[in-house]
Amino acid sequence: MSNPVPPRRAPGDPWRSEGAPPPPPPRRRMPGGWWGLVLMAVAVYLLASLVASLFRTGGKEPTIPYTEFSRQVTSGNVSKIYAKDDAIEGQLKKQAPVPGGKGDYTTFRTQRPAFAEDALWAELTRQNVTVTAEPVVRGTSLLPSLLIAFAPMLLLIAVWVFIARRMGAAMGGGGVLGRKAPPRPVEVTEGKRTTFADVAGIDEVQGELDDIVDFLKHPEAYRKMGARMPGGVLLSGPPGTGKTLLARAVAGEAGVPFFSASASEFIEMIVGVGAGRVRELFAEARKVAPAMVFIDEIDTIGRVRGAGAGMGGHDEREQTLNQILTEMDGFTGSEGVVVLAATNRADVLDPALTRPGRFDRVVQVSPPDRAGREAILRIHTREIPLAGDVDLSRIARSTPGMTGAELANLVNEAALVAVKRERSEVTQSELSSALEKVQLGTERPLVMPQEERRRTAYHESGHALLGMLQPGADPVRKITIVPRGRALGVTLSTPDADRYAFTEDYLRGRIIGALGGMAAEHVVFGVITTGAESDLEQVTSLARGMVARWGMSERVGRLSAIPNDVQVAYGLSAAPATLDSVDHEMRRIVDECYESAQRQLRDNRDRLDALAQALLENETLEEDAAYRVAGITRLSKDDV
Ligand code: ADP
Ligand code: MG
Ligand code: ZN
């Protein structure tokens, strides 16, 4: 199995990279930086002086009664005082004994009662007492008191700086304080890089990327010729088809550093952050050029402007996108930085992205065909001990439509089953179990009442029988009434060969088959249960496709009345009259199919009963047994 993309060094790092030269040893930094140290010192000093001042209150200078103070003034022993409101601090000319206490004092504090109607000011002037504007007692320690006065503000500033620093780190650039973050070290993966040998089943795509590999290998040759490389390549295809893998393989094949970031990781709530990250990412890539920059999920920022508000708001998305476009426009072609992007929604991308000089090459990545699936299975079983009986081509044949990621998962499931069964090798049986689990869902231990089991048996038999009766329908592979996943039973039909286009008859057959469960319950028990919910969803989407997208209704005509993009509101896509027709036609098709399903089940009631009975006895019927019980011969069997 291929080595995974290295994890990011810190969550704040906007991208991952591999294959880049080892980073210069990072400068040892104080845990919180020098700023943090200074702040810490200030904080400690503040705290200390605050505590000290608290303890000093009423410490050195005694609080004396006002009458004592009054007496000292009258006797002319007070040299100076400082008053704030009714609190008075002062100093004596010569020390006096503390009244009622022990020892003497020269400095003191006292409180003048509000009702004291003495002529204090006149008395003070008479006695030549200096009345100062500064605290007499604590006059010597002015700094701490100042600091204490400003403490709340300083604390606020400290908090602000702290937050700014955190944000600065998250932004990876000059933060709010304009402090430039140190150059970000890049990851180096030890071990093997991903190459084309790890990719299979998408040879045509690989071919399209060959000249990129060549360019990355010999950029000088291209430079000498004055040839310009395509600005960027957009890989478009369903999830799991290997787009990310392919991008890594291109870089690995060329042996150049690979920088990878997901577009959604650029976006933060703060406008401008994304653009900054993009700038940094490209700067980093240029430093080690030739290099490759890969931007995954570009549709999260590259959607047509105005369609569906994404995360982080429009401004941020647009700024980030613009920055990417600017970086790409700035390529002179000699820098040797190639940009690859991936999306599974190429249809919603802003046309500005695919203009010449930008992502002007769009490469479609599709799920693999049968041979491709076999090759992918081969790649993913390279490091798994396989028993002699394993037939990968058979697995490949029974997995049409599965993507590379699903196949990789299948192999892994099989290995897990083998471990659980304490086997030393993975045999065909483990692969079958894994396939069953992947295709049908995990078995659920659920004890069903007899009545419910019977109904489920008829429901599944209805699906299966109609599937067998429709000419050209996908053959029934397995029927089971063992509850799996959300379903009480499953009927699995897969095509013999990969299908790429579908006829109207085939689609009608699919609808009839999907309605078969409901129709069987109706015909046999005369009731309808909730068990048909997902069947009806499938029926609806098939009917909608036939009418509104594939031009299979005369009345609606050959136009796509409902676009593929679910984000576009329904009502806006066509005239109300057209949508009415769509609705009407969908109903007509489904009603016709339901009629047909019921009729066929009534006509073949004996077969339906036989299938249901066999299911109740065996719980699960494989393809051959199912056809035998129903007394139907498979028309085309394994003719691929
Ligand atoms: P995407 O980016 O298209 O969603 P990924 O590249 O992430 O798909 O594929 C996920 C995993 O599936 C890969 O790491 C790989 O193990 C497997 N895989 C997908 N496609 C292929 C392929 N064509 N050949 C080999 N392995 C594949
Ligand atoms: Mg991907
Ligand atoms: Zn069903």
Side-chain angles (χ1 to χ4, degrees):
M1 247 162 260
S2 54
N3 43 344
V5 174
R8 275 170 300 165
R9 211 171 67 88
D13 282 5
W15 64 79
R16 298 152 236 253
S17 68
E18 58 182 300
R27 262 191 309 141
R28 285 284 308 147
R29 292 200 304 142
M30 293 301 297
W34 293 110
W35 252 107
L37 201 68
V38 171
L39 278 174
M40 188 76 103
V42 170
V44 166
Y45 180 60
L46 274 179
L47 211 66
S49 53
L50 188 73
V51 169
S53 76
L54 279 179
F55 278 105
R56 199 164 48 210
T57 309
K60 258 184 358 210
E61 59 279 347
T63 305
I64 56 167
Y66 186 68
T67 41
E68 164 73 7
F69 168 69
S70 216
R71 199 160 41 238
Q72 293 294 347
V73 173
T74 325
S75 60
N77 193 25
V78 175
S79 70
K80 52 182 175 180
I81 65 157
Y82 158 77
K84 187 163 184 268
D85 292 336
D86 290 327
I88 298 169
E89 292 171 357
Q91 201 167 356
L92 297 185
K93 284 177 183 152
K94 44 184 216 295
Q95 53 177 231
V98 180
K102 49 183 186 332
D104 300 326
Y105 72 97
T106 44
T107 56
F108 62 89
R109 46 176 82 217
T110 186
Q111 193 76 22
R112 183 183 184 232
F115 53 81
E117 296 205 326
D118 52 356
L120 181 60
W121 178 245
E123 185 68 12
L124 287 172
T125 343
R126 210 160 54 81
Q127 297 295 341
N128 276 328
V129 176
T130 321
V131 179
T132 65
E134 281 171 14
V136 181
V137 174
R138 271 169 296 162
T140 45
S141 51
L142 177 67
L143 187 65
S145 50
L146 262 180
L147 281 175
I148 286 161
F150 285 112
M153 215 167 85
L154 282 173
L155 206 71
L156 271 179
I157 292 174
V159 168
W160 182 73
V161 168
F162 179 71
I163 290 174
R165 284 174 46 83
R166 292 298 293 269
M167 243 158 51
M171 288 162 68
V176 174
L177 292 182
R179 191 181 51 83
K180 189 84 189 94
R184 197 181 308 284
V186 284
E187 309 284 345
V188 188
T189 7
E190 278 98 35
K192 226 169 105 277
R193 300 273 311 261
T194 306
T195 64
F196 281 158
D198 300 305
V199 189
I202 36 180
D203 304 337
E204 63 302 338
V205 181
Q206 242 165 273
E208 293 223 40
L209 295 173
D210 268 343
D211 41 352
I212 305 249
V213 174
D214 198 49
F215 169 73
L216 286 171
K217 269 184 177 163
H218 323 281
E220 337 72 49
Y222 285 76
R223 206 174 303 147
K224 254 185 245 153
M225 277 297 183
R228 205 180 59 81
M229 272 321 281
V233 179
L234 181 65
L235 301 172
S236 157
T241 43
K243 300 179 295 296
T244 309
L245 181 74
L246 200 59
R248 295 181 65 208
V250 169
E253 196 74 17
V256 301
F258 175 70
F259 293 82
S260 137
S262 176
S264 56
E265 288 168 353
F266 283 125
I267 310 288
E268 295 272 317
M269 292 316 286
I270 307 151
V271 174
V273 173
R277 286 181 176 175
V278 169
R279 214 174 301 123
E280 244 190 291
L281 169 57
F282 276 87
E284 208 73 14
R286 279 199 194 94
K287 265 186 233 161
V288 293
M292 186 161 113
V293 171
F294 176 62
I295 301 168
D296 211 349
E297 301 164 30
I298 194 149
D299 46 301
T300 50
I301 52 170
R303 268 178 179 267
V304 177
R305 287 156 222 224
M311 54 197 294
H314 285 296
D315 283 355
E316 174 62 354
R317 276 196 322 131
E318 236 159 79
Q319 280 195 17
T320 308
L321 178 59
N322 285 342
Q323 188 61 43
I324 293 175
L325 296 180
T326 310
E327 296 285 349
M328 293 180 69
D329 284 345
F331 285 170
T332 54
S334 55
E335 282 157 317
V337 176
V338 168
V339 187
L340 251 66
T343 176
N344 41 40
R345 297 300 314 273
D347 52 328
V348 299
L349 285 184
D350 194 325
L353 264 172
T354 44
R355 274 219 301 268
R358 294 169 175 178
F359 293 102
D360 43 11
R361 241 195 236 190
V362 180
V363 175
Q364 198 67 39
V365 186
S366 315
D369 59 7
R370 196 184 53 71
R373 287 195 298 274
E374 191 175 335
I376 292 174
L377 286 170
R378 202 134 275 145
I379 284 177
H380 287 281
T381 48
R382 272 187 311 208
E383 273 145 43
I384 289 179
L386 287 186
D389 72 333
V390 170
D391 185 355
L392 290 182
S393 77
R394 214 173 96 202
I395 305 274
R397 211 174 316 137
S398 50
T399 48
M402 273 170 83
T403 62
E406 284 166 329
L407 291 169
N409 180 40
L410 169 67
V411 168
N412 192 50
E413 283 290 341
L416 291 178
V417 174
V419 171
K420 222 175 272 170
R421 292 183 185 169
E422 298 181 356
R423 293 269 161 82
S424 59
E425 290 174 322
V426 171
T427 68
Q428 186 77 12
S429 142
E430 275 84 41
L431 278 164
S432 302
S433 304
L435 185 58
E436 212 164 86
K437 191 171 161 193
V438 169
Q439 284 181 330
L440 307 182
T442 318
E443 278 190 24
R444 203 156 44 121
L446 192 72
V447 182
M448 276 201 287
Q450 188 54 31
E451 187 50 31
E452 201 126 322
R453 261 187 101 224
R454 222 166 91 79
R455 206 155 50 213
T456 306
Y458 270 100
H459 181 106
E460 296 309 326
S461 300
H463 283 308
L465 184 58
L466 290 178
M468 296 179 194
L469 289 172
Q470 305 312 305
D474 297 336
V476 173
R477 306 293 182 181
K478 194 182 283 256
I479 325 170
T480 176
I481 54 167
V482 177
R484 280 172 179 278
R486 275 174 55 224
L488 294 179
V490 183
T491 301
L492 178 70
S493 303
T494 55
D496 279 329
D498 298 353
R499 285 176 181 269
Y500 298 101
F502 305 100
T503 63
E504 188 178 347
D505 279 342
Y506 171 83
L507 293 171
R508 274 181 180 263
R510 283 273 298 272
I511 294 181
I512 290 175
L515 289 168
M518 195 176 189
E521 290 186 56
H522 200 162
V523 165
V524 177
F525 301 99
V527 293
I528 300 217
T529 63
T530 52
E533 180 178 345
S534 62
D535 294 340
L536 292 189
E537 280 166 13
Q538 201 189 344
V539 166
T540 310
S541 94
L542 280 168
R544 183 188 301 130
M546 288 174 71
V547 173
R549 288 174 49 210
W550 304 320
M552 290 177 182
S553 149
E554 279 305 321
R555 184 164 157 189
V556 172
R558 277 145 291 276
L559 46 86
S560 62
I562 298 175
N564 200 1
D565 190 357
V566 285
Q567 295 226 347
V568 177
Y570 251 31
L572 302 175
S573 56
T578 309
L579 292 178
D580 277 351
S581 313
V582 167
D583 194 61
H584 180 271
E585 286 292 277
M586 279 170 65
R587 279 172 201 287
R588 182 181 61 80
I589 290 177
V590 174
D591 286 349
E592 284 171 11
C593 287
Y594 194 62
E595 281 303 312
S596 164
Q598 283 191 317
R599 194 179 52 247
Q600 291 184 60
L601 288 179
R602 284 207 186 90
D603 293 350
N604 293 280
R605 181 63 196 262
D606 49 336
R607 288 170 157 162
L608 182 65
D609 288 338
L611 267 178
Q613 198 51 44
L615 266 180
L616 283 170
E617 278 162 25
N618 303 307
E619 289 204 321
T620 301
L621 293 178
E622 298 290 335
E623 178 173 355
D624 293 337
Y627 277 88
R628 195 166 358 92
V629 168
I632 295 172
T633 33
R634 281 263 270 112
L635 297 174
S636 55
K637 191 168 182 187
D638 285 338
D639 48 2
V640 261

